[in-house]
Amino acid sequence: MKNNKLRKNMYLALLVSLSLAISILELMIPLPVAIPGAKLGLSNIIILVTIYFYDFKSSITVSILKSILLMLVTGSVTSFFYSLSGAILSTIGMYLSLKFKGEFFSLIGVSEIGSFLHNLGQIMVACFVMNNLKIFYYLPILVIIGIFTGFFVGISSNMLIAHIDKLRMRIK
């Protein structure tokens, strides 16, 4: 029993480390279009894999720890609130939609839901910070970009999960 808990914590720590490393690398990738708040969301691949293999508590823990550690590494306190709100909202949405995966959603659909909710969380924080509801006019732009990035994250997650299953890795 104790060995299984240690194994799980070890894998979750690795998943946090991977999502943090991917987030840092992603900050170095210039986007072809300068749109504030738009990112590729590559660390969401790791979050989606965590949701697939673990429970809600583990998934939300990895999401929150990634946001906190990213703030500590980059020193960007302002973007922390945007990151955290998007991470929490998207993790909740992806977890709930994955529960209905067999009936309604593929991993790509789950990723698209996560992408939308992440953008919505960021816009809600921006609305609060700027004290202006008109910031919601920016949401469609982020959603359009999120359609493409969510699709890529979903495909990548499918491939990674298939590879883990193929290797028969025991990550639980």
Side-chain angles (χ1 to χ4, degrees), residues 54-75:
Y54 293 102
D55 57 356
F56 177 74
K57 182 180 172 187
S58 300
S59 304
I60 200 79
T61 301
V62 170
S63 292
I64 291 171
L65 285 175
K66 188 255 317 182
S67 293
I68 292 170
L69 291 172
L70 187 61
M71 176 198 54
L72 292 173
V73 168
T74 62

Side-chain angles (χ1 to χ4, degrees), residues 2-171:
K2 186 176 179 183
N3 194 20
N4 287 341
K5 186 172 182 169
L6 179 65
R7 178 187 301 268
K8 178 182 177 183
N9 287 338
M10 180 186 70
Y11 280 122
L12 290 176
L14 286 171
L15 290 167
V16 170
S17 300
L18 277 171
S19 66
L20 177 63
I22 291 171
S23 291
I24 292 169
L25 285 173
E26 186 176 10
L27 290 173
M28 297 177 199
I29 300 171
L31 290 178
V33 181
I35 298 174
K39 291 184 358 179
L40 295 173
L42 299 176
S43 65
N44 289 330
I45 296 168
I46 304 301
I47 303 302
L48 193 52
V49 168
T50 306
I51 290 170
Y52 184 85
F53 285 109
Y54 293 102
D55 57 356
F56 177 74
K57 182 180 172 187
S58 300
S59 304
I60 200 79
T61 301
V62 170
S63 292
I64 291 171
L65 285 175
K66 188 255 317 182
S67 293
I68 292 170
L69 291 172
L70 187 61
M71 176 198 54
L72 292 173
V73 168
T74 62
S76 182
V77 178
T78 307
S79 66
F80 166 70
F81 296 106
Y82 295 97
S83 172
L84 184 64
S85 64
I88 290 172
L89 202 56
S90 69
T91 301
I92 291 169
M94 288 191 298
Y95 183 81
L96 291 174
S97 61
L98 191 61
K99 289 297 177 187
F100 302 108
K101 178 185 173 250
E103 299 174 30
F104 301 109
F105 303 111
S106 68
L107 280 176
I108 295 170
V110 171
S111 177
E112 293 286 356
I113 289 169
S115 175
F116 172 76
L117 291 173
H118 196 282
N119 289 329
L120 181 63
Q122 289 180 325
I123 291 292
M124 288 180 354
V125 168
C127 181
F128 178 76
V129 168
M130 295 178 179
N131 197 22
N132 189 345
L133 285 174
K134 291 182 181 180
I135 196 72
F136 274 96
Y137 289 128
Y138 191 55
L139 184 61
I141 295 167
L142 291 178
V143 168
I144 289 169
I145 294 168
I147 289 170
F148 297 104
T149 59
F151 185 76
F152 177 76
V153 166
I155 288 175
S156 301
S157 300
N158 264 335
M159 291 171 35
L160 185 57
I161 289 169
H163 188 69
I164 291 170
D165 284 340
K166 183 180 174 184
L167 293 175
R168 291 182 172 77
M169 292 175 65
R170 294 182 301 149
I171 69 166

